[in-house]
Amino acid sequence: MRFSAFFAPTLKEAPKDATLKSHEYLIRGGYIQQVGSGIYNFLPLGKRVMDKIRQVVKEEMDQAGAQEVMLGFVTPAELWRNSGRFEKYGKELLRFKDRKENDFVLGPTHEEMVVELAKGYVKSYKQLPLHLYQIHLKFRDEIRPRFGLMRGREFVMKDGYSFHANEADLIREFELMEATYKRIFTRLGLDFRVVEADSGAIGGSGSKEFMVLAQSGEDTIAVCDSCEYAANIEAAKRRAKKVDSPAPIASFSKFKTPEVKSIEALAEFFRVDPFYTLKAVVKKAFFDGGKSELAFFFLRGCDSLQETKACNAIGANELLDVSEEELIKAGLEPGFIGPYALKNLTGANHILFDLELKDAQGLIAGANERDHHFVGVNLGEFEGLIYKDLAEVGEGDGCPLCEGRLTYKKGIEVGHIFQLGTRYSEPLGANFLNPEGKSQPLVMGCYGIGVSRLLAAVIEQHHDEKGCIWTKSTAPFDLVIVVSNVKDPSQKAYAENLYNALQKEGIEVLLDDRDERYGSKMADFELLGIPYAVIVGKGLIEGQVELVNRANLQKGIVLADDILGRILEL
Ligand code: ATP
Ligand code: MG
């Protein structure tokens, strides 16, 4: 490709709302153009990178035995009603009507569509397993589209769906996909971690995310400093916490604790480790159909509530904070909330305790009475308490698998694989006949990769203050030939020759033959992030050209006659 004829409009100014380098560079480099909130056009450069990523994904998926299809983007709402998600999915689901007043949605994910497809054809265990995938548009009306391609509303996903006759075969495929994804992200040149993930409202036994490590990542992951354990903070586990100081010895009694409202004040007042205090977190929980109620979560004073865990524990869609006024209106004493008589007081349906509080002794807890706490609280003496994993894992906590410690890292979620089981096949009536001739629902898995998000993820991990640094397999071109002065016929002729020779060798090369200043051509090379540049300049008279490595911007002089060989070596 000749740059003089190439549509790659580079910009000097960063977009005003760009806080991430990937967002800035992809716009300034002429890779993408924003057309609306969370909606982008892909220009030739962006399309080339997208195709590179798509190709790697496709090769590995095909290699693993999956088959590419293309499912309708516009989905009849009927399918979503049948799965129960038309209401449940919330505002991210874009719903609309056609001219005949029929309801439709723009697919934010395609379980419903693909189950409908399988239902039409898969009748017997003999047709299983089957894995179909597509690389196609998705639409999610995200509440905060931002960071360019990182969180768009319209974006490209690779979504695959597998169908199995039994759980064991699903697990085989799940493991195959984990291995396949590792190959994909390794080939793309990314530093990533596979982490245990929140399985969400869907439940199911296994869900793993693939996180590209980057400071700007929106996800926090807990990783062990000595073994392989890594988990999204939303799902991370830890070795049960212990403290050196023994539990305070006190028989059960009520204490006057004037104005002692916080955990710190309480621990200070009784001179105990906050570990031995009981923290009450009250949230307003929202459920399907929009109904809401107060939910109570008890943790050790030293811990904090992990909201995703809390949501899952009670099957809520969202948790919001509750003001002091609302607490008082519900008959509660802010700062003194405890488990005693709480159900009678509030009629609450959701009162939960963190798993690590199981049979805890010698606790100090609010008395549900102004300026009073109970001491000597032994939870083992209560009947029917509900214990769930609610606490957020902190840095320095113990690894659940070994003696190591957990630390936090930031990650960008680029893939998510899921064991769905019969969550969709059952309500949608997608059944097959098993070897015994009995009808049973298909066992399913689903596997997503954020293909358009990957453009941003690669750049978040690989850039400098001048621009993009694409990895070998994601670069839009392998090399740029920069003709320093296009008016110099010998430079021009040499560059043309090299350009043709490289193309014959199957190298994707951009010939910068524009009549521009050398400095601005080099600035474009740095911004675009193509792995190498050959600079054809004054040195040509002495039979020399320069080879620049974009990753470290190091330059080396190479004999003009040797350059083809050097490039082929690279
Ligand atoms: P997130 O937590 O980032 O919102 P998600 O968990 O909702 O993502 P999935 O339903 O697991 O996303 O979708 C599969 C993949 O699609 C994700 O791993 C991510 O890489 C990509 N993806 C999801 N939402 C977006 C978006 N708004 N823009 C670009 N890519 C996205
Ligand atoms: Mg996900």
Side-chain angles (χ1 to χ4, degrees):
M1 177 57 70
R2 287 164 196 281
F3 213 145
S4 56
F6 189 48
F7 184 58
T10 56
L11 305 171
K12 290 244 154 40
E13 295 290 316
K16 278 188 218 68
D17 59 337
T19 50
L20 294 194
K21 282 299 177 194
S22 60
H23 185 188
E24 177 190 335
Y25 294 154
L26 289 174
I27 299 266
R28 279 184 48 212
Y31 284 88
I32 54 169
Q33 177 198 33
Q34 181 165 14
V35 280
S37 170
I39 306 175
Y40 292 86
N41 286 329
F42 281 73
L43 277 45
L45 275 172
K47 179 68 167 58
R48 288 181 80 97
V49 177
M50 173 97 97
D51 286 349
K52 290 274 168 88
I53 295 172
R54 178 193 279 263
Q55 189 58 27
V56 170
V57 173
K58 179 173 169 53
E59 281 171 20
E60 294 296 338
M61 289 301 293
D62 289 349
Q63 179 67 31
Q67 299 171 58
E68 189 173 0
V69 291
M70 198 169 100
L71 306 170
F73 184 31
V74 172
T75 313
E78 193 58 17
L79 297 181
W80 281 70
R81 289 215 172 86
N82 295 342
S83 73
R85 284 210 291 186
F86 190 70
E87 282 76 28
K88 194 175 168 63
Y89 211 90
K91 290 200 168 141
E92 276 185 28
L93 183 65
L94 187 65
R95 303 155 167 91
F96 59 98
K97 286 184 192 298
D98 68 2
R99 65 165 80 200
K100 293 180 184 153
E101 294 290 306
N102 296 316
D103 288 314
F104 286 88
V105 307
L106 275 188
T109 172
H110 278 71
E111 284 83 5
E112 283 78 359
M113 192 71 120
V114 79
V115 169
E116 191 64 17
L117 190 163
K119 190 178 160 181
Y121 300 101
V122 179
K123 304 292 175 196
S124 154
Y125 73 95
K126 290 179 192 152
Q127 294 165 279
L128 298 171
L130 175 66
H131 188 150
L132 303 175
Y133 78 95
Q134 61 169 348
I135 301 175
H136 199 27
L137 287 177
K138 293 278 175 279
F139 192 93
R140 295 182 183 178
D141 203 351
E142 297 270 357
I143 184 167
R144 268 187 299 278
R146 56 189 168 157
F147 307 145
L149 297 181
M150 202 66 95
R151 187 167 296 285
R153 291 198 297 164
E154 185 181 84
F155 59 97
V156 175
M157 197 199 284
K158 186 288 290 179
D159 48 327
Y161 308 87
S162 68
F163 300 92
H164 308 272
N166 55 53
E167 201 68 29
D169 197 51
L170 164 63
I171 288 166
R172 177 202 53 74
E173 187 75 9
F174 185 82
E175 285 167 1
L176 174 64
M177 278 303 117
E178 179 174 346
T180 302
Y181 275 35
K182 283 183 183 165
R183 294 167 62 93
I184 290 171
F185 298 125
T186 304
R187 276 184 66 184
L188 293 176
L190 291 163
D191 181 13
F192 65 95
R193 292 279 186 290
V194 187
V195 309
E196 304 284 331
D198 160 42
S199 300
I202 300 167
S205 48
S207 156
K208 287 187 178 174
E209 287 167 339
F210 295 75
M211 294 284 181
V212 167
L213 300 181
Q215 263 316 312
S216 59
E218 285 187 278
D219 284 279
T220 301
I221 57 182
V223 296
C224 177
D225 60 13
S226 72
C227 79
E228 285 289 284
Y229 183 76
N232 192 311
I233 192 83
E234 295 174 348
K237 307 235 181 301
R238 68 181 180 197
R239 209 175 330 128
K241 228 180 198 170
K242 288 199 182 90
V243 288
D244 292 335
S245 58
I249 300 167
S251 50
F252 181 69
S253 54
K254 192 153 68 178
F255 247 80
K256 201 161 166 56
T257 51
E259 291 303 315
V260 178
K261 290 185 168 184
S262 66
I263 291 293
E264 298 74 54
L266 188 63
E268 175 77 30
F269 186 88
F270 286 102
R271 298 191 187 286
V272 297
D273 194 301
F275 181 83
Y276 295 110
T277 65
L278 194 63
K279 179 190 273 182
V281 183
V282 189
K283 294 278 177 184
K284 191 172 201 166
F286 290 81
F287 298 89
D288 284 357
K291 85 176 164 59
S292 70
E293 56 186 278
L294 292 187
F296 297 81
F297 303 97
F298 288 98
L299 304 140
R300 289 196 183 272
C302 53
D303 285 333
S304 34
L305 183 71
Q306 211 311 310
E307 291 210 5
T308 302
K309 289 182 180 178
C311 255
N312 292 342
I314 61 172
N317 299 325
E318 198 186 0
L319 298 178
L320 292 183
D321 289 342
V322 186
S323 67
E324 288 218 348
E325 290 76 63
E326 282 174 278
L327 291 176
I328 293 165
K329 231 167 87 191
L332 295 159
E333 274 298 340
F336 303 93
I337 298 172
Y340 283 89
L342 186 60
K343 185 148 177 85
N344 292 344
L345 199 65
T346 59
N349 291 313
H350 301 289
I351 301 175
L352 275 71
F353 293 79
D354 182 53
L355 264 185
E356 286 182 30
L357 281 168
K358 199 143 204 190
D359 300 328
Q361 304 219 341
L363 296 175
I364 302 170
N368 290 326
E369 184 185 333
R370 199 179 161 76
D371 293 339
H372 285 85
H373 279 88
F374 285 119
V375 302
V377 175
N378 298 334
L379 289 181
E381 291 163 10
F382 287 77
E383 293 262 309
L385 296 189
I386 300 167
Y387 292 97
K388 296 268 181 175
D389 179 18
L390 300 173
E392 181 154 290
V393 163
E395 283 201 280
D397 287 354
C399 172
L401 300 186
C402 76
E403 289 304 303
R405 298 262 148 218
L406 299 173
T407 53
Y408 283 174
K409 282 194 191 300
K410 287 286 179 190
I412 300 167
E413 181 191 327
V414 292
H416 197 167
I417 60 175
F418 222 106
Q419 296 176 26
L420 290 174
T422 57
R423 162 68 183 86
Y424 294 93
S425 49
E426 220 170 279
L428 295 171
N431 301 316
F432 71 101
L433 289 179
N434 68 17
E436 288 78 47
K438 274 214 181 110
S439 178
Q440 70 173 81
L442 291 160
V443 180
M444 283 182 69
C446 75
Y447 320 91
I449 291 183
V451 174
S452 53
R453 178 179 284 182
L454 272 165
L455 275 84
V458 171
I459 297 308
E460 280 311 309
Q461 206 172 64
H462 303 273
H463 68 265
D464 60 17
E465 71 288 354
K466 301 202 157 143
C468 307
I469 303 175
W470 293 104
T471 60
K472 215 168 184 171
S473 59
T474 57
F477 292 94
D478 300 318
L479 176 106
V480 196
I481 303 171
V482 179
V483 187
S484 174
N485 176 8
V486 287
K487 299 210 172 84
D488 178 331
S490 62
Q491 284 186 21
K492 190 103 202 285
Y494 174 87
E496 289 280 347
N497 253 331
L498 181 61
Y499 175 61
N500 290 328
L502 287 168
Q503 277 185 322
K504 272 206 198 90
E505 294 291 343
I507 289 173
E508 292 179 86
V509 45
L510 184 63
L511 174 64
D512 196 345
D513 57 348
R514 294 173 301 167
D515 188 6
E516 299 261 352
R517 283 184 311 108
Y518 168 73
S520 79
K521 289 189 193 184
M522 286 310 287
D524 278 349
F525 160 66
E526 287 161 357
L527 174 61
L528 297 188
I530 294 163
Y532 294 97
V534 173
I535 303 171
V536 183
K538 289 204 185 91
L540 192 63
I541 306 171
E542 279 109 54
Q544 291 172 346
V545 292
E546 277 179 301
L547 182 62
V548 190
N549 180 346
R550 175 62 189 90
N552 53 20
L553 289 176
Q554 267 172 18
K555 281 187 187 177
I557 293 179
V558 181
L559 290 180
D561 292 339
D562 295 347
I563 190 76
L564 185 62
R566 269 302 292 284
I567 294 166
L568 294 178
E569 260 171 51
L570 292 169

